[in-house]
Amino acid sequence: MHRFVPAVGAMGGALLVVSSMATASSAPTVTAPAFALTGTAVGGVKTIQNGQTLTFAFTETNKGTRSAPEDLVVTQHRNVRVVAVTCVLPGGFAINPDGSSCEPGFLNPGRSASSVITTRVIGDSGQRASVTLCLTNENTGTKGPCKTISVPIA
């Protein structure tokens, strides 16, 4: 009988370990980075005239649970000439772009980075001045989301 008790105790311990492993494997999985993209014509500009300066600001925010290298890339502009692009890192530090791309590096969950695009309106009355910006993941090449901001030209 004495040999039977340790054997049952060892089996109970093994079952406890297996049970703990099953519980650990049913833990929630970590989700991939998920980025939100917002944009605006700076200053609340609703209508603009030819020859005026129009500035757009786009902000990416990591809403996921992991960091990722998402670049802010100007993919199209209409009826404007891009004069300058400024990249703003989390914490407000401004850096130069790489062409029309802002590359803030790995963006941690809950953090944001921005691209500020200064333009000169070259379109005619009745047209729209616009900039389209897309996020691009440096590791995977995945593109999106994208956002277009446009303002009527008076």
Side-chain angles (χ1 to χ4, degrees):
M1 179 81 164
H2 291 289
R3 288 186 208 171
F4 181 70
V5 172
V8 171
M11 283 181 23
L15 288 173
L16 181 60
V17 169
V18 170
S19 174
S20 297
M21 288 171 54
T23 303
S25 67
S26 65
T29 56
V30 177
T31 60
F35 283 82
L37 178 61
T38 58
T40 188
V42 173
V45 174
K46 302 278 188 231
T47 305
I48 193 128
Q49 294 177 322
N50 184 313
Q52 290 185 319
T53 300
L54 178 58
T55 302
F56 300 88
F58 293 88
T59 300
E60 66 174 344
T61 302
N62 186 345
K63 301 283 190 178
T65 59
R66 293 186 310 170
S67 63
E70 291 285 330
D71 296 340
L72 299 110
V73 182
V74 175
T75 58
Q76 188 174 47
H77 53 84
R78 293 182 186 234
N79 300 312
V80 296
R81 182 174 48 83
V82 175
V83 175
V85 177
T86 302
C87 305
V88 184
L89 302 176
F93 186 77
I95 62 171
N96 291 322
D98 183 11
S100 62
S101 300
C102 286
E103 299 175 353
F106 278 83
L107 201 60
N108 291 324
R111 301 301 303 253
S112 297
S114 298
S115 180
V116 180
I117 301 114
T118 303
T119 68
R120 174 78 56 194
V121 177
I122 58 174
D124 295 325
S125 179
Q127 295 180 322
R128 297 182 76 81
S130 67
V131 170
T132 300
L133 182 135
C134 295
L135 300 184
T136 302
N137 185 291
E138 285 185 26
N139 289 342
T140 65
T142 303
K143 182 178 171 181
C146 298
K147 186 158 191 73
T148 301
I149 305 298
S150 75
V151 174
I153 302 171

